[in-house]
Amino acid sequence: MMNFQINKRKETERSLRINREELKKSEKRYRSYMENAPLGIFIADSSLSYLDVNSVACQMTGYSRDELLQMTIQDLLSSKISVNPFEELNHEHSVDKNQTVLSIQKETPLLKKDGSEFYALLRTVKLSQNTYMAFCLDITKRKQMEKELKLTNENLTIEKKLAEASNQAKSEFLANMSHELRTPLNGILGFTNLLKDTTLSPEQQSYVEDVLFSSHNLLNIIEDILDFSKIEAGALVIEHTQTNIKTLVENAYRMTKYKAGKKGLKTEIFVDDSIPSCVMTDSYHLSQVLVNLLSNAVKFTEQGGIAIHCQQIRSTNKDLTLRFAVSDTGIGIKDDEQTKIFEYFTQADSSITRKYGGTGLGLTIVDKILEMMHSQIKLESVINQGSTFSFELIVQRCQSLNP
C-alpha cells in the first residue's frame, strides 16, 4: 500500500510537471503570437477593462502595456459610449452558423496618449463568456484618402455643373446671336437681289455680285453657328417626312453647280433609277449634309471637277440602304489629319483657314447630324489628288406609294 501511494504521488507530480511545461509552452506560443502579430491586439473583459495588449497596440496608442492594463475601453474612445460594445456578441442573431467564433467589425476613432485621434478598424471576437479579443488596424490614411476623394468628387460635381451652365449659356448666346445676325442679313440679301434686277452699269453689277457672294458666305457661317449651338444644346431634332431622293440630290447639286462653274470645274451627278420616288427620311438635314459636302468640294478644288453619286446598295420590304458619295479632285487631306477635320473649329491646318476661310464647323455638323441619323461619315483622300466623303443611310419606304 505504501509503495502504491508513493508511485501514485510520483505519477501525479509527473503529470503536474508535464502540465506546467505544456502551460509554459502554451503561454510562450500565445505571447509569441501576440507580439508578432502585425495588428494591434486588445483583450478585455465584460467590465471593459483591458486584460492584455500587444506591442503594436502600445505603438498605436502611445501608451505602455502597464498603462493600458490600468485602463478601460472607455478611456480610448473619442466619444463615450452608453452601451456595452460587446452587446452584439452576446445575442443569438450575431452568431454566424458557419463559424464557431462570434465576431463583429466596426470602424471607430480612438484616442492616443497625446490626445490626437486615429481611425481604427476593429474586429472583435468572443473568446469566452466574459473575455473578448479585438484586432485593431490603423486606417487613418485610408479614411483621409476617402475624405479627400469625397471632397474631390464634390468639387468635380460643382465644376461639372458650372461647366454645364456655362456651356448652356454659351449655346443660348450663340443661338440668340445667330438669330439676331441672320435677320438683318436676310434683309441685305433681299434688297441686294432687288438691286441686281435694276439697271446697273457693269461696274455696279460687279459690286452687287460681290455683296451677294459675301452675304451668302456670311449667312452660311451664321447657319453653321446656329446648327452648332443646337447640337450643343441637344435641341437638334431628326424628323421623317416623305422625300424624293432624286429631287433632293438634284437640288443640292444645283445649289453648288453655279459656284463650281465660276471656278471652271466640271460637275457630275448620278442618282440610281432603282431608288423609289418616295422614301421616309429627314429631308432638311440630309440636304444640309449634301450641300455642306458639295460646298467643301468646290471650295477646296481649283481644277478638275466634283461629283455626287447616290445609289441603292440594299433593299427590304420595309426599307432600303442608300450610299451617298461626294468626290472632288482638290487639295486632299493627309492621313494623320483626316480625323482632325471632324473636330469643332478645326481644319486640317491653319494655312487652310487663312486661304479658304470658314468656321471649321461644317464637317463637325455633318458628322453629328449623320450620327443622329444612325449613319457615319467616311473619308478617302490622297494629298493633291482629291477626296471622297461617303455615308450609308437607311431610309423607310413610303408604303402607301411604293409597291
Side-chain angles (χ1 to χ4, degrees):
M1 181 62 70
M2 181 68 70
N3 288 337
F4 174 78
Q5 290 177 346
I6 291 172
N7 290 336
K8 185 68 173 176
R9 188 180 66 185
K10 287 181 178 180
E11 182 66 25
T12 301
E13 289 175 350
R14 190 171 69 85
S15 296
L16 288 173
R17 186 173 66 254
I18 292 173
N19 288 339
R20 282 195 296 270
E21 290 174 355
E22 288 298 324
L23 183 60
K24 287 180 180 179
K25 290 179 181 179
S26 178
E27 289 178 348
K28 188 176 181 180
R29 283 196 299 270
Y30 161 76
R31 182 51 55 187
S32 176
Y33 295 153
M34 285 278 288
E35 294 307 317
N36 292 310
L39 305 174
I41 298 178
F42 298 85
I43 298 177
D45 58 22
S46 55
S47 66
L48 309 187
S49 296
Y50 290 119
L51 303 176
D52 199 3
V53 295
N54 68 350
S55 58
V56 177
C58 296
Q59 293 169 12
M60 284 182 172
T61 61
Y63 290 100
S64 67
R65 183 171 182 273
D66 291 337
E67 287 174 323
L68 284 173
L69 296 182
Q70 300 299 316
M71 299 166 64
T72 66
I73 291 175
Q74 293 273 22
D75 297 325
L76 291 185
L77 295 176
S78 60
S79 58
K80 302 308 176 186
I81 57 174
S82 57
V83 296
N84 191 317
F86 306 132
E87 188 82 22
E88 295 178 50
L89 288 171
N90 296 321
H91 290 296
E92 185 177 351
H93 67 75
S94 68
V95 177
D96 186 340
K97 295 181 180 180
N98 297 322
Q99 297 179 349
T100 57
V101 180
L102 306 180
S103 66
I104 55 174
Q105 181 170 294
K106 289 184 177 180
E107 294 180 4
T108 183
L110 298 180
L111 292 174
K112 293 185 178 183
K113 185 176 181 179
D114 60 9
S116 62
E117 191 177 82
F118 73 99
Y119 245 90
L121 175 64
L122 293 173
R123 181 79 174 183
T124 306
V125 297
K126 186 175 183 179
L127 298 181
S128 67
Q129 188 63 33
N130 295 309
T131 309
Y132 306 87
M133 176 183 287
F135 299 93
C136 179
L137 177 65
D138 188 342
I139 58 171
T140 305
K141 290 183 178 180
R142 193 193 81 185
K143 297 296 288 188
Q144 182 63 31
M145 289 177 65
E146 289 176 355
K147 184 178 179 181
E148 291 174 356
L149 182 60
K150 182 180 178 182
L151 182 61
T152 300
N153 288 336
E154 289 175 352
N155 290 335
L156 286 175
T157 300
I158 294 172
E159 290 177 6
K160 181 183 177 183
K161 289 181 178 179
L162 290 173
E164 289 174 349
S166 175
N167 192 53
Q168 182 66 26
K170 177 195 68 177
S171 297
E172 290 176 1
F173 170 78
L174 288 173
N176 291 334
M177 286 303 299
S178 297
H179 282 296
E180 293 296 326
L181 291 170
R182 191 166 54 172
T183 300
L185 185 56
N186 281 327
I188 294 171
L189 284 167
F191 285 116
T192 305
N193 277 311
L194 291 174
L195 180 61
K196 188 180 70 169
D197 294 334
T198 64
T199 303
L200 300 172
S201 68
E203 186 178 12
Q204 289 172 328
Q205 188 72 32
S206 175
Y207 291 157
V208 170
E209 292 290 344
D210 289 340
V211 170
L212 283 173
F213 179 78
S214 298
S215 297
H216 278 295
N217 281 344
L218 182 56
L219 185 59
N220 288 335
I221 292 172
I222 292 172
E223 293 288 354
D224 280 351
I225 294 173
L226 182 58
D227 287 331
F228 167 72
S229 64
K230 285 182 179 179
I231 291 171
E232 284 281 278
L236 194 69
V237 178
I238 299 298
E239 298 179 345
H240 290 80
T241 58
Q242 292 186 356
T243 304
N244 185 313
I245 292 294
K246 184 176 182 180
T247 301
L248 184 146
V249 173
E250 288 176 346
N251 287 340
Y253 170 75
R254 273 196 293 268
M255 290 177 68
T256 51
K257 183 180 179 181
Y258 175 74
K259 293 180 182 178
K262 288 192 70 173
K263 295 181 72 172
L265 301 176
K266 296 179 181 179
T267 57
E268 178 186 316
I269 180 173
F270 169 80
V271 181
D272 194 337
D273 290 334
S274 66
I275 299 174
S277 60
C278 179
V279 297
M280 300 295 292
T281 189
D282 191 320
S283 58
Y284 173 77
H285 287 110
L286 177 56
S287 176
Q288 185 181 8
V289 166
L290 295 177
V291 169
N292 204 312
L293 293 176
L294 285 166
S295 297
N296 271 358
V298 174
K299 180 193 292 188
F300 298 115
T301 304
E302 299 300 331
Q303 58 183 2
I306 63 170
I308 178 169
H309 286 203
C310 176
Q311 63 184 110
Q312 180 179 252
I313 57 175
R314 283 186 293 276
S315 176
T316 69
N317 292 333
K318 293 184 178 181
D319 56 45
L320 46 138
T321 303
L322 306 179
R323 182 180 185 273
F324 297 85
V326 175
S327 305
D328 63 63
T329 57
I331 61 176
I333 305 166
K334 296 178 182 177
D335 290 343
D336 58 348
E337 294 174 342
Q338 290 185 12
T339 56
K340 288 172 56 179
I341 62 173
F342 296 105
E343 298 174 2
Y344 288 137
F345 307 108
T346 303
Q347 291 183 337
D349 60 58
S350 57
S351 64
I352 290 178
T353 305
R354 290 191 299 270
K355 183 176 180 179
Y356 296 98
T359 60
L361 285 174
L363 287 176
T364 304
I365 293 170
V366 166
D367 184 46
K368 295 299 181 184
I369 289 175
L370 288 177
E371 184 180 323
M372 293 181 70
M373 296 178 74
H374 307 291
S375 182
Q376 183 180 16
I377 191 74
K378 295 180 180 178
L379 169 61
E380 298 176 12
S381 185
V382 178
I383 197 71
N384 295 325
Q385 292 186 29
S387 305
T388 297
F389 289 86
S390 63
F391 60 92
E392 294 180 6
L393 184 67
I394 298 176
V395 297
Q396 305 298 315
R397 291 181 179 273
C398 298
Q399 295 294 338
S400 59
L401 298 177
N402 292 327

